Amino acid sequence: MTVVSAAEAGFLGSVNPSDELFLHVNGQRWPCRAGDILGRQGTVAIEVLRPVDVLSRRHLSIQSIDGVWCLVALPESRNDTWIDGVPMRRGQPYPLTPMQLLQVDSFQFHLGAGELPGAGAGRPAVIGFQPGGGTLLYPSTASLYPTLTVKGDDDTRDALPLGNGLDSLPGAAVETDVRLNIHAANRQALALLGSDAAGRDLDEWTPERTRLRSHLLTLDQGVTCQSIDVRFHVPAGSRMIEISATRLEAGFMVFLRDVSAEHQVEAGQQSLFQRLFRQSGALSELSLSRAFQEGDVPKSLTLLAHRAAEGLECRRVSAWLKSGSGNSVGEKVVRQVVHDTSGPVAAGTMTDLAYCPMFFDNLRGDEPWAEAVTDTPMMSLLREIGFAGPETGSLLCVGLRHSDGLYGVLCFERTGPERAWSREDRQFAVCLASYGVLALQTSERRETMARLERSERRMTAELEEAKHYVHRILPDPVHEGPITAEWHMVPSEALGGDSFGYHWVGDLFVMYILDVVGHGTGMALLSISVLNSVRSRLFQGEAAMADPAKVLADLNAAFPMEEQNNMLFSMWYGVYNRRTGILTYSSAGHPPALLLFGAVPEDGVDYAALGTEGPSVGALADVEFLNGSIVVDPGAKLYIYTDGAFEIPVGPDREWSFEEFTAVVRGTRYMAGGEPGYLRKRIGALCALERFPDDFTIVRLSFSAPDV
């Protein structure tokens, strides 16, 4: 038998859009419009074309071009399409004649205007399939089943019962009567349903008989039903079958397609989606838990174990932590938390990761997990060391890692037959471990902060005690007598490196001030040591205190910087003799004292800067310090101070000068008291910083008339 061309069928000329265009398949026809798509997911005859596997989802496009109906094989079509025996080029429009035969692999159908030649008015024709590859033209009249007339090679026309043409249909197909009793089945249907399918009711294979019958028996003649999926119990086992059917005059043409594999994939995807949904919900709950934010390790790990058992569908979840601190170098771990869905399991079990290094070393690698399954030497070893239970079928371990190693291990166990851990399972387990590490690190930080706070409180108390001690050894202000004294001292930190003193030793009034380079606890300790060293000379009488240069030389020998952690100090030392009114002084790298004269001389110079050349104490060995002297007139004021009183920033790029400091000090000449406090406020207002950058210390000594 050969294909009949359009010319042989008697159709000549093209079809224009004013003519109605129809698709003819299996004795039915569907109207077509410009833009319609033919295929398994097209826009025309979807129910009939969907089970035709040789068609692509979008196979052919019907178009109207320049007033002519055209057919285009789409570029995405998988199999070649033949139009009247001529292969179509993809993307090329083909003008349509009044009726044309189209063939894709073994599937044939017609496209054209009007009715197929010979198609009975009341009988749906099944077009496009017949044994041996011949072309079916039109049905003949048959009493029960339609027969198909085909043209043979000898130009004769033969009438074949429709049942005889089922083998040329794509996929499994059966013919039934109106009671769904099978009268004919092709080879694919027999392979699916069994060789004894003929004569049996189609619904015998399914427990969903009512659903299948109600779906088919309500169809009108010539109508194709939407496909449904029905569970069939066939010789090969339980299968999910997609059924589509067309109501014929005397029964049904039913197509059956096994979609069990697709359903299994969909079920697996649905199961995966549900598991991922549970896992994402678990991670969200952990992220909002205050236990992790507060570093509550027991509560955090308990919550984590519960959510892990749900998200990974495992029987037991254990958190093994190293004994001692997280930085412990040993490999011993203790099961701190365990959640078992079958019942309570005691925690506190101890084991050693070193018993199984090949397994646990993986937890320190780029992929921080390790797996073991039943009936393997590794699982046997893990059971021996107490890491896995006797009923465990598969085990997954993830390391709780920090920068130097492991805090411990999270262990997930499934029972029953061996069940592989998926990539999503491992990723979820790693996320859980990161939350465990968060809780452990937060706990460590809180413990560290608590220790630091305790240490800081203890240090603050000790510094406060030291500060009180420093103030206790400083002299009290003197408000009566031939020499009065006031001072103001502000350390830049809790403890400073400044100290001073003044004492009567017989007829001598000794005064001194020193400044250890830097500030802080170490400098304060050296300052106190020097102060006590000077005060110890008081017991030796006037001779030990009278020569300022010798006192500085003795201190230079006693406090070399090499023995004082490379610390040194500047110092100004003076001795006032109340019998003579002479002030003898010497300085070692210290700013000069400022003496405001009691009476302003005729030259208008009302002050003197009292200082001598010399390095800081402790800087150099065997240094000879020099003395200077001056007569102090009644009413004079002497200011001794440290460099923190004038070395201050007064602008973004400017330091206060010594001359400006001197001018401010000279402005206190006529004040009757309170000069140090006033200078502190005045200089503090000029400073560009909120605090003095160095210790601020200033002492004012006022002299009355000398005794004669």
Side-chain angles (χ1 to χ4, degrees):
M1 297 182 182
T2 59
V3 176
V4 179
S5 68
E8 290 177 294
F11 298 106
L12 299 173
S14 60
V15 184
N16 62 59
S18 62
D19 299 323
E20 288 187 293
L21 191 67
F22 292 92
L23 171 68
H24 299 265
V25 181
N26 290 358
Q28 300 180 75
R29 71 174 189 175
W30 290 264
C32 301
R33 299 185 301 273
D36 274 339
I37 300 296
L38 305 183
R40 289 188 293 110
Q41 293 185 4
T43 59
V44 180
I46 303 173
E47 299 82 2
V48 174
L49 299 183
R50 181 182 294 144
V52 183
D53 294 337
V54 296
L55 289 179
S56 298
R57 295 179 179 179
R58 292 168 50 88
H59 201 96
L60 297 167
S61 173
I62 299 173
Q63 301 179 10
S64 174
I65 302 176
D66 296 331
V68 176
W69 285 110
C70 295
L71 187 65
V72 179
L74 295 174
E76 60 263 36
S77 58
R78 183 175 69 255
N79 295 322
D80 291 335
T81 304
W82 296 70
I83 181 168
D84 286 337
V86 178
M88 297 180 67
R89 297 177 58 185
R90 289 173 175 80
Q92 175 69 42
Y94 286 78
L96 294 175
T97 60
M99 184 62 66
Q100 291 187 286
L101 171 68
L102 298 166
Q103 181 169 346
V104 180
D105 200 308
S106 62
F107 177 62
Q108 297 176 343
F109 54 99
H110 286 78
L111 188 65
E115 295 284 349
L116 276 173
R123 184 189 309 280
V126 180
I127 305 299
F129 310 97
Q130 59 86 36
T135 303
L136 308 181
L137 293 179
Y138 47 84
S140 63
T141 58
S143 58
L144 179 60
Y145 300 108
T147 59
L148 303 175
T149 302
V150 299
K151 180 179 179 181
D153 294 334
D154 57 357
D155 201 31
T156 62
R157 297 177 184 268
D158 298 321
L160 297 178
L162 183 58
N164 295 339
L166 289 179
D167 281 338
S168 63
L169 295 177
V174 299
E175 293 178 34
T176 75
D177 60 17
V178 293
R179 295 183 300 275
L180 297 185
N181 184 264
I182 297 175
H183 288 271
N186 64 4
R187 288 186 297 270
Q188 297 95 318
L190 294 176
L192 176 64
L193 301 177
S195 58
D196 60 345
R200 298 173 60 183
D201 289 345
L202 181 63
D203 58 359
E204 288 184 23
W205 283 270
T206 176
E208 304 178 65
R209 294 185 176 187
T210 302
R211 177 167 172 256
L212 178 60
R213 284 184 171 273
S214 64
H215 191 74
L216 297 180
L217 297 180
T218 56
L219 291 176
D220 294 329
Q221 183 175 341
V223 176
T224 300
C225 68
Q226 296 281 347
S227 61
I228 61 170
D229 293 344
V230 180
R231 176 68 62 183
F232 268 48
H233 296 301
V234 296
S238 179
R239 292 287 188 270
M240 185 64 69
I241 305 299
E242 180 188 73
I243 293 180
S244 57
T246 300
R247 180 71 179 264
L248 304 177
E249 181 178 2
F252 297 90
M253 171 68 69
V254 182
F255 291 91
L256 304 97
R257 189 166 72 93
D258 189 345
V259 293
S260 301
E262 298 175 15
H263 270 259
Q264 187 173 3
V265 171
E266 291 178 0
Q269 291 175 342
Q270 182 67 18
S271 176
L272 174 61
F273 173 78
Q274 292 174 352
R275 189 163 67 252
L276 292 177
F277 182 78
R278 289 196 303 270
Q279 292 176 358
S280 63
L283 295 177
S284 298
E285 182 179 353
L286 297 182
S287 66
L288 297 175
S289 172
R290 292 184 60 85
F292 291 90
Q293 302 170 14
E294 296 173 354
D296 188 337
V297 173
K299 188 174 181 180
S300 298
L301 294 182
T302 299
L303 177 61
L304 185 151
H306 279 75
R307 296 300 167 262
E310 297 171 359
L312 291 174
E313 299 174 348
C314 52
R315 171 176 173 176
R316 182 182 300 124
V317 180
S318 303
W320 299 78
L321 300 181
K322 285 190 174 183
S323 56
S325 65
N327 294 324
S328 173
V329 296
E331 293 296 298
K332 294 185 183 299
V333 291
V334 178
R335 183 153 57 187
Q336 302 285 4
V337 174
V338 58
H339 173 68
D340 195 312
T341 58
S342 63
V345 176
T349 306
M350 178 178 287
T351 188
D352 198 328
L353 303 183
Y355 291 149
C356 197
M358 293 180 60
F359 184 81
F360 292 109
D361 283 350
N362 294 327
L363 307 184
R364 300 177 175 87
D366 295 335
E367 296 180 342
W369 62 74
E371 301 176 34
V373 295
T374 190
D375 298 331
T376 61
M378 185 61 70
M379 180 65 81
S380 299
L381 181 56
L382 291 171
R383 286 171 178 159
E384 287 182 11
I385 67 174
F387 229 83
E391 72 287 350
T392 300
S394 56
L395 176 141
L396 173 66
C397 289
V398 180
L400 298 169
R401 305 200 302 186
H402 57 81
S403 58
D404 298 324
L406 294 176
Y407 288 109
V409 179
L410 281 182
C411 182
F412 311 93
E413 301 173 64
R414 287 174 175 165
T415 57
E418 177 184 333
R419 180 178 163 193
W421 301 91
S422 67
R423 179 185 63 180
E424 292 77 16
D425 290 339
R426 291 190 290 268
Q427 291 174 344
F428 178 58
V430 171
C431 291
L432 292 174
S434 68
Y435 278 100
V437 170
L438 172 64
L440 290 163
Q441 291 181 338
T442 302
S443 176
E444 282 188 345
R445 285 194 295 269
R446 291 174 69 89
E447 290 177 2
T448 301
M449 289 299 298
R451 288 196 298 270
L452 289 175
E453 290 175 359
R454 290 193 297 270
S455 176
E456 184 176 355
R457 287 194 297 269
R458 184 171 60 252
M459 185 177 296
T460 300
E462 292 174 353
L463 289 175
E464 193 66 24
E465 179 62 26
K467 182 178 179 181
H468 288 314
Y469 172 74
V470 170
H471 277 266
R472 284 198 300 270
I473 65 175
L474 295 177
D476 294 329
V478 179
H479 300 291
E480 296 178 351
I483 300 178
T484 60
E486 285 187 58
W487 53 269
H488 198 92
M489 183 177 185
V490 182
S492 61
E493 294 186 1
L495 289 176
D498 292 358
S499 60
F500 60 90
Y502 42 80
H503 319 277
W504 283 104
V505 185
D507 290 328
L508 304 180
F509 188 80
V510 179
M511 64 207 82
Y512 47 88
I513 189 169
L514 63 98
D515 180 7
V516 179
V517 177
H519 36 78
T521 305
M523 290 69 184
L525 293 176
L526 177 59
S527 177
I528 293 171
S529 297
V530 175
L531 197 65
N532 288 332
S533 177
V534 174
R535 294 175 64 180
S536 66
R537 302 172 72 95
L538 294 172
F539 300 103
Q540 303 175 29
E542 293 185 6
M545 307 290 288
D547 187 351
K550 186 176 185 312
V551 172
L552 293 180
D554 291 345
L555 293 174
N556 188 68
F559 296 95
M561 62 182 297
E562 294 80 4
E563 299 178 8
Q564 306 299 325
N565 197 24
N566 290 325
M567 291 186 294
L568 46 83
F569 57 92
S570 66
M571 189 170 186
W572 188 96
Y573 187 97
V575 178
Y576 173 73
N577 191 323
R578 65 178 175 180
R579 293 191 301 272
T580 63
I582 296 175
L583 172 64
T584 305
Y585 56 88
S586 182
S587 57
H590 201 84
L594 292 178
L595 179 66
L596 305 184
F597 301 145
V600 179
E602 294 180 359
D603 59 8
V605 179
D606 61 350
Y607 79 99
L610 310 181
T612 59
E613 295 292 333
S616 296
V617 177
L620 300 172
D622 302 325
V623 175
E624 183 177 349
F625 294 93
L626 304 176
N627 282 332
S629 62
I630 189 172
V631 175
V632 179
D633 60 333
K637 292 181 179 180
L638 179 69
Y639 289 91
I640 57 177
Y641 50 89
T642 59
D643 55 10
F646 65 88
E647 290 182 351
I648 60 170
V650 292
D653 300 310
R654 193 172 84 83
E655 295 287 327
W656 206 32
S657 67
F658 181 73
E659 291 73 17
E660 291 173 307
F661 169 72
T662 301
V664 171
V665 173
R666 290 169 60 194
T668 65
R669 167 184 298 279
Y670 300 108
M671 290 183 63
E675 298 89 338
Y678 163 78
L679 291 174
R680 157 68 182 86
K681 293 181 181 179
R682 175 71 186 279
I683 298 172
L686 296 172
C687 182
L689 303 177
E690 293 183 3
R691 295 175 57 90
F692 286 107
D694 198 359
D695 301 336
F696 178 98
T697 305
I698 191 165
V699 182
R700 185 271 301 157
L701 301 162
S702 297
F703 298 85
S704 60
D707 296 334
V708 179

